[in-house]
Amino acid sequence: MADAIQFSFHSLRFSSSSSLLTSFASSLTSLQPGLPPIPNSDKRVYPLLYSSSSAGDFARFALTPRKQLISLKVRAAVTETNQPKWWERNAPNMVDIHSTQDFLSALSQAGERLVIVEFYGTWCASCRALFPKLCRTAEEHPEIVFLKINFDENKPMCKSMNVKVLPYFHFYRGADGQLEAFSCSLAKFQKIKDAIQTHSTARCSIGPPKGVGDLKLEPSLAPNDKPSGPTSA
């Protein structure tokens, strides 16, 4: 009976030692690759063999996340390039003006509708900050025509209209001609709302639209003249 108990005890010890050996071999393999498998274990342990090719594979694997990150950045840059610039994201009732002729034609076609003209620069931080709110205001007032004039593309016309600071706004209406002109920033956007409320009252005018008065189709400056740029509000 004692021999049987002793035999079972030794078997238990052998089994436990085998598990310990297997665990130890797994840990040792991770530190020193190339060791042979441990015999008499329930699960054979096959260590990772080290070679120059495996080192190269590991290096390529280590560099993969960085390559993927660069690829994502490139795709993001391409996507951003395809997006419209901030000054191109117009509301439906916004019109870009590219010449004096375009401006006078737009005023004539507006008839008795209120026309708000924004003078802006693509480099102007105040213009960019104000523009999203101006777009929302345009969407809230589909009855108003919003004209946008890029200062850098229309310097002679802007100078003849006394635009010296950006962003700058003109208000026009049919036979009444120019109603108001002022500079405005995002912090003072209430000025635009107040002007809209003031000039949006219904009225009947007699006579053709006055447009912009003395503004002529031919610019007052030669194309080579470079007027000083405006300041930002």
Side-chain angles (χ1 to χ4, degrees):
M1 182 66 177
D3 293 340
I5 294 174
Q6 186 177 3
F7 177 77
S8 299
F9 177 74
H10 284 298
S11 299
L12 180 60
R13 289 180 60 187
F14 179 78
S15 177
S16 300
S17 62
S18 298
S19 299
L20 290 173
L21 285 173
T22 302
S23 177
F24 176 75
S26 300
S27 301
L28 187 61
T29 299
S30 64
L31 297 176
Q32 296 182 355
L35 293 178
I38 302 299
N40 299 327
S41 61
D42 296 335
K43 296 182 179 180
R44 298 179 66 83
V45 179
Y46 293 93
L48 177 65
L49 296 178
Y50 180 83
S51 65
S52 59
S53 61
S54 63
D57 293 339
F58 176 78
R60 287 194 297 271
F61 176 77
L63 291 176
T64 299
R66 179 175 179 83
K67 290 181 179 179
Q68 291 177 348
L69 181 60
I70 294 175
S71 178
L72 289 174
K73 287 183 177 180
V74 170
R75 287 199 295 269
V78 171
T79 302
E80 185 177 354
T81 303
N82 294 333
Q83 295 295 323
K85 304 296 189 299
W86 66 263
W87 62 88
E88 297 173 342
R89 300 170 184 174
N90 294 340
N93 51 333
M94 281 182 164
V95 180
D96 288 294
I97 299 300
H98 301 288
S99 66
T100 304
Q101 178 63 65
D102 288 348
F103 183 43
L104 296 177
S105 297
L107 289 178
S108 177
Q109 293 172 7
E112 290 301 310
R113 298 172 66 185
L114 180 63
V115 178
I116 299 177
V117 184
E118 180 203 18
F119 299 88
Y120 72 95
T122 58
W123 44 265
C124 173
S126 296
C127 301
R128 181 170 186 171
L130 176 142
F131 188 67
K133 197 164 186 177
L134 184 66
C135 289
R136 289 194 295 270
T137 301
E139 292 173 353
E140 294 169 358
H141 296 276
E143 74 283 359
I144 299 176
V145 178
F146 288 78
L147 305 182
K148 294 166 51 196
I149 299 180
N150 187 331
F151 177 86
D152 294 315
E153 292 181 356
N154 302 275
K155 286 183 179 180
M157 178 173 62
C158 292
K159 184 175 182 180
S160 67
M161 298 174 70
N162 202 31
V163 176
K164 298 180 180 180
V165 62
L166 298 178
Y168 201 77
F169 292 87
H170 282 188
F171 284 66
Y172 296 90
R173 187 164 189 170
D176 295 329
Q178 182 175 318
L179 304 172
E180 197 169 352
F182 55 81
S183 63
C184 185
S185 63
L186 180 60
K188 300 178 181 179
F189 195 83
Q190 187 61 38
K191 291 173 63 176
I192 295 177
K193 292 185 175 181
D194 292 341
I196 290 176
Q197 185 175 4
T198 300
H199 303 300
S200 292
T201 56
R203 67 190 73 181
C204 294
S205 300
I206 301 176
K210 290 183 178 179
V212 289
D214 296 333
L215 183 63
K216 299 179 181 179
L217 294 182
E218 295 294 332
S220 58
L221 296 177
N224 294 330
D225 292 340
K226 296 182 179 179
S228 58
T231 59
S232 178

